[in-house]
Amino acid sequence: MKDVKCECGHVNPHGTVFCEACGMLHVEGEKEKQVLDMRYEGSARRSQTYNKMFIDKVWNFFSSVKVGVILILITLIASALGTILPQEMYIPGTMPAEEFYQSQYGWFGKIYYQLGFNNLYSSWWYLILIAMIGVSLVICSLDRVVPLYKALKAQRVTRHEGFLKRQRIFGITSSDNVDASFSKAKEHLLTKHYQVREENGDLLAEKGRFSRWGPYINHVGLIIFLIGAMLRFVPGMYVDKVLWLREGETKVVPGTNEEFYVTNRKFILQLYDKNKDKAYGATLSKVGNVAKNYQSNVTLYQKVGHTIIGEKPKLKKIKDYNIRVNQPLTFNGYSLYQVDYKLDELNSMTFTLANKKTDKSFGNITIDLYDPKSKYVLGNGYSVDVLSYFPDFEFSKSGEPTTKSRIPNNPAFVFRMYAPDKPKGETSFVAIRQNIEPFGNNEYKMKFKAIQTKNVSGLTVRKDLTIWVIIFGGFLFMFGVIQGAYWNHRRIWIQRKNGQVWISAHTNKNWYGLKREMETILDGTELSMPEDQLQAERA
């Protein structure tokens, strides 16, 4: 498609409604309109001009504002679906996710998991929706801002009669003292901070053009914001993990590629004392114990060298630190926050193998509830096998023993007890306050002796390299909103034609403010106030 050369000599792209330089109309249909559509200065938008190739159809699809709005609505609905039930990253890691959703929310939770809504915000189709919104923003902006910029840059002071007549504010004045009126009007325009250009004795006054770029800066901010949000799914850019650490336990810090380890040396809980903290006495009497401070005294380690699978890593001590609420341990871009705790969580249980009749003891076994052994040898021919272990015991609907989680809240065991006179062993099911002999009366029993507990610290591991991208995108977005909302692009054309003065004006919004300003500009001159053609037409 060839460019169109105007009578004024300016070459316009194919599809231009009126000349970018002089404003002469090029489309017959526009000549019938009383007021021109000045939204894009009559420029030729690619989406309105080309529609032959596949790339044209893709461009035209994404350049549609309607398509962009539909994509946003679909994404909002999808985002709302992800808030009906907790996302998988926020549920306890005590059992498989599918079991958790089904046990907690029934058939609806099962369907919710099967549809993939448990990890909705990181799903491939949700990311595609976000990417499509980004593409739509880019194409919508380029399709409009580039032609608009070229048209505004190419505009001349002297405009075609058809352009002036079809501005919303237009008027003609006959004056005997044109030069004096021009000088006075120019003086007023400069006082109102207009940029005034002169050409062939005509005036073009313009101010606030930068407000036309507000929506496009807004779009750029949104695009950067979306990029920052999508960067969170790039490994190493964003970490938000929960770490439960028992006293004396050493664990790898999640999200560090097994480079850093942390040991919980001691957990400390301090409560308000209503006798000492008298300011809170009334509150404490009502609500009971309230935590004044809880902290984890930890040691941070870094792995040295490489390790093979199953080998214990070599660790180098980095530092000791006391993690308190809002006082995280910060290292290498990561932060460890104190967010929760559990007091006196079961850690190990001690049982005695004894004769049921005589209550004679044949030895003790201590079972680590987080890492139980399968066999315990007591000597003299006595031993105990752990056939089954249920950390959080309950009976299923079918009557079979099962566990609700991997946390030892209600531990239960199936033991096989061996003795010299019982080489085939006897089976016993032992839980808290329960001792069941499923195969008849036994001669031996596992008698509960003691428990050992430990305090547990709830820590959150965070690393966010995307926050500055998101903040910058949000700043640009708000800057674009302010730029486009609080300033107006105003232009006033004053031209001499055959002893008359033609005055036209245009603004992208706030026509009332423009008309008030023009009254001030024309005050003291022989130029009459032009009329609002749209208002006159409605009247």
Side-chain angles (χ1 to χ4, degrees), residues 429-469:
F429 176 83
V430 179
I432 296 175
R433 296 184 179 179
Q434 294 186 63
N435 201 321
I436 301 173
E437 299 172 357
F439 302 113
N441 292 327
N442 296 334
E443 291 188 19
Y444 296 91
K445 66 177 181 180
M446 296 299 297
K447 187 170 67 173
F448 172 77
K449 184 176 182 181
I451 61 170
Q452 294 78 39
T453 63
K454 285 188 176 181
N455 296 326
V456 187
S457 295
L459 307 176
T460 294
V461 185
R462 287 188 182 151
K463 177 183 180 182
D464 194 353
L465 301 181
T466 68
I467 187 64
W468 298 112
V469 179

Side-chain angles (χ1 to χ4, degrees), residues 169-232:
I169 296 179
F170 172 71
I172 299 176
T173 303
S174 297
S175 175
D176 296 329
N177 195 2
V178 175
D179 291 338
S181 297
F182 262 62
S183 298
K184 192 70 172 176
K186 180 180 177 180
E187 181 182 334
H188 290 169
L189 287 166
L190 292 172
T191 303
K192 294 291 184 181
H193 306 292
Y194 278 85
Q195 293 182 350
V196 180
R197 293 163 55 194
E198 293 188 65
E199 182 184 280
N200 301 324
D202 301 327
L203 293 180
L204 167 58
E206 182 179 14
K207 73 175 179 179
R209 183 192 292 189
F210 76 98
S211 70
R212 297 291 288 272
W213 317 127
Y216 307 107
I217 292 176
N218 184 303
H219 288 181
V220 171
L222 277 175
I223 292 165
I224 294 174
F225 188 93
L226 289 175
I227 290 172
M230 295 184 73
L231 282 175
R232 291 192 164 195

